[in-house]
């Protein structure tokens, strides 16, 4: 079966959980066998793992015809695209886009990130999707998250092939129930035009049904998973040189992730324990506010803000931790606790997170219950037997949560949509 997937991130260049999940699911589906997947992203760098997916960057897709020879094309983009594919795509330009800002190859430049002109990039991405859909042979279209829904809709309109949209998060989650109407509109348009919808948790499935007016029969939950860690990552030595306990928050510092509850819980813990440090790793629009809050509570000397972590840095951070905490207000899934468990770190998660539906060997609290959160932190760092049990049971549990199982469920959905 051939699938055309539209995504926005792909490791090693990721800015959040979307890229991690896209990679894991794609690899898991490939491991199931008989899958030919083309994964489209705005801007590839050439160092992506292409062993299980054909990567196409929309920044190398021509939308305006340019008379360029093969050697020149190879020099310009040969590290990320076969020049022969460039010419195949050029033969399927479907409109005159010379009015747009394009480069010497007739391609639109993409940041590959989340720039201020994000809506413009989403629209441009959907334009290139029209060229790709007219060029490639595939059975089904799969769009990851709202940024790629317009591209998926365009590809469906061009080819008549069925569209599956994958809801990794909704604007309701990101905004605490006060959605941006433009983003909400794009999300609902994608869901309405989809032949089937995949959500990463039952929590998200309920949001899709209740707040977007979607028929429940059209929505299926496929929980996320984790990729087994390499020996290199598993054998990372703890970089810390202190006997103090370390409690870590790792993620975007935005209102969706509940960072203020982490700071308030830390304040309660520090009233009774002086041998503990708190780490808020990540970046986001609430970072400065959290730094000020820690100062106002008089605990700034016990707090660290190392900034955004990626790749190996994430696992070094986890290895140095005694407790991992995710106090999200509304978390569609949340892969980070699973990554912490892989490193043997006991985790505390909010009941308002999708991963709470499948994890047993964690402590679950309401995001707003800072007393329960503080008690859980105190228990893990104070009682070695509890720490040891959560560590060992967590390792066993997370070892069973693999992407090939999630991939099999997605392939079953494909077959159902295709009537096979």
């Amino acid at each position: 079966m051939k699938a055309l997937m539209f995504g926005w991130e792909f490791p090693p260049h990721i800015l959040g959980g979307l890229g991690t999940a896209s990679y894991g699911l794609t690899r898991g589906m490939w491991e199931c066998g008989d899958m030919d997947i083309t994964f489209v992203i705005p801007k590839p760098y050439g160092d992506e793992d292409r062993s299980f997916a054909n990567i196409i960057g929309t920044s190398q897709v021509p939308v305006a015809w340019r008379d360029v020879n093969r050697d020149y094309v190879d020099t310009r983009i040969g590290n990320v695209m076969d020049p022969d594919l460039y010419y195949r795509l050029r033969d399927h330009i479907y409109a005159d886009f010379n009015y747009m800002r394009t480069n010497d190859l007739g391609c639109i430049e993409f940041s590959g990130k989340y720039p201020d002109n994000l809506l413009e990039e989403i629209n441009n991405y959907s334009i290139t999707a029209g060229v790709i859909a007219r060029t490639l042979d595939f059975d089904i279209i799969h769009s990851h998250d709202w940024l790629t829904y317009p591209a998926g809709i365009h590809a469906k309109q061009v080819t008549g092939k069925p569209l599956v949209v994958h809801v990794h998060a909704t604007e309701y989650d990101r905004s605490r129930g006060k959605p941006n109407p433009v983003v909400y509109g794009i999300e609902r348009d994608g869901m309405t035009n989809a032949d089937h919808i995949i959500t990463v948790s039952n929590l998200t499935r309920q949001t899709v049904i209740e707040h977007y007016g979607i028929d429940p029969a059209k929505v299926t939950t496929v929980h996320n998973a984790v990729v087994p860690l390499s020996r290199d990552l598993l054998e990372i030595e703890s970089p810390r040189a202190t006997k103090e306990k370390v409690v870590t928050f790792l993620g975007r510092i935005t209102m969706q992730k509940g960072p203020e509850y982490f700071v308030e819980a830390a304040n309660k813990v520090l009233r009774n324990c002086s041998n503990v440090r708190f780490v808020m790793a990540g970046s986001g629009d609430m970072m400065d506010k959290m730094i000020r809050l820690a100062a106002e509570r008089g605990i700034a000397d016990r707090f660290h803000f190392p900034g955004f972590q990626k790749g190996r840095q994430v696992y070094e951070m986890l290895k140095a931790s005694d407790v991992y905490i995710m106090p999200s207000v509304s978390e569609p899934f949340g892969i980070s606790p699973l990554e912490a468990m892989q490193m043997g770190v006991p985790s505390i998660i909010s009941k308002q997170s999708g991963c709470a539906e499948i994890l047993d060997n964690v402590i679950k609290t309401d995001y707003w219950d800072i007393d329960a959160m503080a008690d859980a932190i105190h228990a893990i760092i104070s009682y070695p037997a509890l720490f040891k049990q959560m560590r060992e049971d967590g390792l066993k549990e997370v070892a069973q949560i693999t992407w090939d199982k999630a991939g099999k469920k997605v392939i079953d959905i494909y077959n159902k949509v295709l009537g096979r």
Side-chain angles (χ1 to χ4, degrees):
M1 189 188 310
K2 295 181 179 180
L4 174 61
M5 281 194 182
F6 292 105
W8 205 260
E9 299 181 17
F10 203 83
H13 305 278
I14 61 173
L15 297 167
L18 176 61
T20 302
S22 297
Y23 173 91
L25 179 65
T26 308
R27 179 169 157 178
M29 292 173 67
W30 174 79
E31 288 173 352
C32 291
D34 194 31
M35 281 300 307
D36 183 348
I37 302 171
T38 296
F39 200 99
V40 181
I41 52 176
K43 184 179 179 179
Y45 292 83
D47 55 354
E48 296 83 9
D49 184 352
R50 296 168 183 248
S51 62
F52 55 87
N54 309 305
I55 305 292
I56 292 182
T58 55
S59 51
Q60 285 80 48
V61 175
V63 297
W65 203 93
R66 296 288 183 268
D67 186 9
V68 285
N69 67 54
R70 195 182 191 285
D71 288 342
Y72 182 71
V73 174
D74 192 33
T75 301
R76 286 278 284 105
I77 62 172
N79 65 316
V80 291
M81 178 182 281
D82 182 342
D84 290 341
L85 177 56
Y86 168 84
Y87 288 113
R88 283 179 60 205
L89 291 163
R90 193 183 67 172
D91 289 340
H92 290 87
I93 295 172
Y94 58 92
D96 184 0
F97 292 108
N98 280 295
Y99 68 90
M100 299 190 69
R101 189 166 61 250
T102 58
N103 62 18
D104 54 331
L105 297 179
C107 303
I108 302 169
E109 300 283 356
F110 287 85
S111 70
K113 298 180 181 178
Y114 299 88
D116 291 339
N117 66 329
L118 182 58
L119 292 176
E120 180 185 350
E121 290 218 346
I122 290 170
N123 180 66
N124 291 345
Y125 184 94
S126 70
I127 289 173
T128 63
V131 176
I132 295 168
R134 287 170 168 84
T135 306
L136 303 184
D137 176 38
F138 52 90
D139 302 301
I140 197 162
I141 306 156
H142 189 148
S143 286
H144 289 277
D145 230 27
W146 72 279
L147 307 119
T148 72
Y149 292 173
I153 293 170
H154 191 169
K156 177 181 178 176
Q157 291 171 338
V158 167
T159 63
K161 299 293 174 64
L163 168 64
V164 173
V165 302
H166 206 128
V167 184
H168 293 265
T170 71
E171 182 63 6
Y172 268 86
D173 300 307
R174 292 182 291 266
S175 67
R176 287 193 184 178
K178 298 177 181 178
N180 177 317
V182 175
V183 176
Y184 173 85
I186 293 173
E187 288 180 331
R188 192 173 188 285
D189 199 31
M191 295 176 196
T192 303
N193 281 277
D195 294 273
H196 205 82
I197 299 166
I198 297 173
T199 57
V200 295
S201 64
N202 292 323
L203 182 73
T204 305
R205 181 176 184 270
Q206 209 54 39
T207 299
V208 166
I209 293 166
E210 292 180 1
H211 295 290
Y212 292 81
I214 304 299
D215 178 0
K218 189 177 170 179
V219 193
T220 302
T221 294
V222 178
H223 290 103
N224 285 335
V226 280
V227 175
L229 296 183
S230 66
R231 181 174 294 276
D232 176 53
L233 292 177
L234 288 171
E235 294 180 350
I236 289 175
E237 293 188 13
S238 177
R240 70 182 183 186
T242 176
K243 292 184 179 180
E244 293 175 308
K245 301 297 183 180
V246 176
V247 181
T248 298
F249 168 111
L250 197 155
R252 286 182 291 113
I253 306 176
T254 62
M255 64 178 180
Q256 180 192 352
K257 303 295 182 179
E260 67 270 36
Y261 301 105
F262 177 70
V263 176
E264 297 293 6
N267 184 42
K268 285 185 172 290
V269 172
L270 288 166
R271 290 177 187 172
N272 301 309
C273 298
S274 59
N275 68 326
V276 56
R277 290 186 177 275
F278 292 84
V279 177
M280 182 172 282
S283 59
D285 58 8
M286 287 183 69
M287 185 171 181
D288 289 345
K289 184 177 180 180
M290 292 304 100
I291 293 172
R292 290 195 300 271
L293 181 59
E296 289 168 5
R297 296 292 180 266
I299 58 174
D301 61 326
R302 313 303 296 173
F303 247 88
H304 301 267
F305 294 87
F308 180 73
Q309 307 290 298
K310 63 180 180 179
R312 186 181 177 86
Q313 292 175 320
V314 170
Y315 296 98
E316 289 174 343
M317 182 74 64
L318 292 172
K319 188 71 173 183
S321 304
D322 296 284
V323 181
Y324 178 76
I325 184 161
M326 187 182 75
S328 297
V329 174
S330 179
E331 185 70 50
F333 185 79
I335 289 178
S336 57
L338 280 70
E339 295 172 330
M341 292 164 73
Q342 284 183 303
M343 296 299 289
V345 184
S347 295
I348 301 167
I349 64 175
S350 73
K351 294 177 181 177
Q352 291 74 25
S353 60
C355 64
E357 298 169 7
I358 63 167
L359 293 177
D360 294 319
N361 294 290
V362 295
I363 295 177
K364 305 171 189 178
T365 71
D366 287 304
Y367 72 86
W368 44 261
D369 195 343
I370 57 174
D371 289 318
M373 216 177 288
D375 288 345
I377 294 169
H378 186 267
I380 294 171
I381 64 176
S382 300
Y383 300 104
L386 175 62
F387 175 89
K388 183 173 182 289
Q389 182 179 356
M390 289 190 68
R391 171 188 171 87
E392 293 174 355
D393 292 347
L395 282 166
K396 291 176 185 175
E397 181 175 30
V398 77
Q400 302 303 312
I401 304 173
T402 56
W403 278 115
D404 59 314
K405 295 175 183 176
K408 174 65 167 59
K409 292 177 182 177
V410 171
I411 293 170
D412 288 345
I413 290 169
Y414 283 2
N415 284 319
K416 180 181 178 181
V417 170
L418 290 166
R420 296 181 179 178

